[in-house]
């Protein structure tokens, strides 16, 4: 049931509204068996206390939550802007929350947004609260982007790039230049985008007879939200003898560039560099890594359209998945390997 009310909870539990209120306020005067019935009804209906007056006749707050892992990343900033533009045209307002991929911060924001009775949530999940998000999706319109909930019970929409093909294209471009010792700085291995980008890298490397597994020396698992992961990853891979480094997102690529500058490693003379995603102000950089463009503004607009459609359908739509094709943009950060 979308936006269940305290009356719905009372009816489901077979108690009075006053009893439900006392349970919500943690009153000690409620019998344990009644409290258990109320809490079970709350869980079943997906009810959250309403902290704002419901004044609209259609029982809609006309608000949408946008929960992102790192709002400082300009990829997400561009996406937020386009989401907000579409929502505003349709009379919706946007709450933006940045979790830094923290499980607790994500929990806190999800709780806050439900208390505010948002009509829907667009979220780039941390990957650590999948069970909760799956439960919420039964009662609240949800659109995911960038990271999937690996649960068949999830109800909602998903938008992302074609991670596999984009990574294949980047890897094969390096292979075409003669690179064989290609390093990959990837994100958190438990999120879907990191898994898909790794699979693309593995597929491309198999075309030259190279198996990328746990024993592969040029694989580094970092954190998509940390420039420092790019620094440490590039350092580790360069010291192991990689002739090229492929960063699995723009922040990791920035970190790799930082390492090369600080360690005075010439790009592409000593190390070629590619990036899944454009670095901020890419066109003004002295070193421009070859990259794939992800079109975050277009993705944001589509996300906004999907969440509005799901809200207005009362969350009755079948699950939808949208994949945006990536475009390879050659840069001056890649060249033939320097052997020695």
């Amino acid at each position: 049931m979308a936006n269940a009310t305290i009356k719905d909870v009372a009816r489901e539990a077979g108690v009075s509204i006053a009893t439900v209120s006392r349970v919500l306020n943690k009153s000690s005067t409620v019998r344990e068996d009644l409290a258990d019935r109320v809490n079970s009804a709350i869980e079943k209906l997906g009810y959250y206390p309403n902290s704002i007056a419901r004044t609209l006749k259609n029982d809609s707050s006309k608000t949408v939550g946008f929960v992102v892992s790192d709002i400082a990343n300009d990829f997400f900033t561009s996406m937020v802007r386009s989401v907000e533009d579409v929502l505003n045209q349709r009379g919706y307002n946007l709450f933006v929350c940045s979790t830094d991929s923290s499980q607790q911060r994500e929990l806190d924001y999800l709780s806050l947004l439900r208390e505010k009775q948002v009509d829907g949530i667009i979220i780039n999940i941390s990957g650590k609260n999948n069970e909760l998000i799956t439960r919420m999706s039964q009662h609240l319109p949800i659109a995911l982007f960038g990271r999937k909930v690996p649960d068949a019970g999830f109800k909602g929409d998903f938008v992302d790039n074609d991670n596999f093909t984009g990574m294949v294209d980047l890897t094969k471009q390096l292979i075409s230049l003669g690179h064989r010792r290609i390093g990959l700085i990837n994100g958190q291995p438990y999120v879907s985008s990191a898994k898909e980008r790794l699979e693309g890298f593995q597929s491309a490397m198999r075309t030259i007879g190279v198996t990328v597994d746990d024993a592969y020396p040029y694989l580094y698992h970092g954190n998509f939200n940390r420039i420092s992961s790019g620094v440490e990853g590039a350092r580790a891979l360069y010291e192991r003898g990689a002739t090229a480094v492929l960063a699995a997102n723009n922040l990791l690529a920035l970190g790799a560039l930082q390492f090369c500058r600080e360690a005075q490693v010439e790009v592409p003379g000593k190390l070629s560099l590619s990036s899944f995603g454009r670095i901020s102000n890419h066109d003004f950089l002295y070193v421009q890594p070859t990259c794939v463009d992800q079109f975050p503004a277009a993705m944001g607009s589509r996300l906004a359209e999907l969440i509005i459609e799901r809200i207005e359908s009362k969350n009755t739509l079948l699950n939808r998945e949208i994949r945006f094709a990536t475009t390879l943009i050659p840069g001056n950060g890649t060249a033939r390997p320097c052997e020695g």
Side-chain angles (χ1 to χ4, degrees), residues 272-291:
S272 286
L273 180 60
S274 297
S275 170
F276 197 104
R278 289 170 64 96
I279 296 176
S280 180
N281 297 317
H282 174 273
D283 296 337
F284 299 102
L285 295 176
Y286 180 70
V287 175
Q288 298 173 349
T290 292
C291 66

Side-chain angles (χ1 to χ4, degrees), residues 41 43 73 115 167 170 235 262 277 295:
E43 177 69 17
N73 187 333
E115 289 178 8
M167 188 59 79
L170 285 169
R235 177 181 291 113
E262 293 174 350
F295 308 107

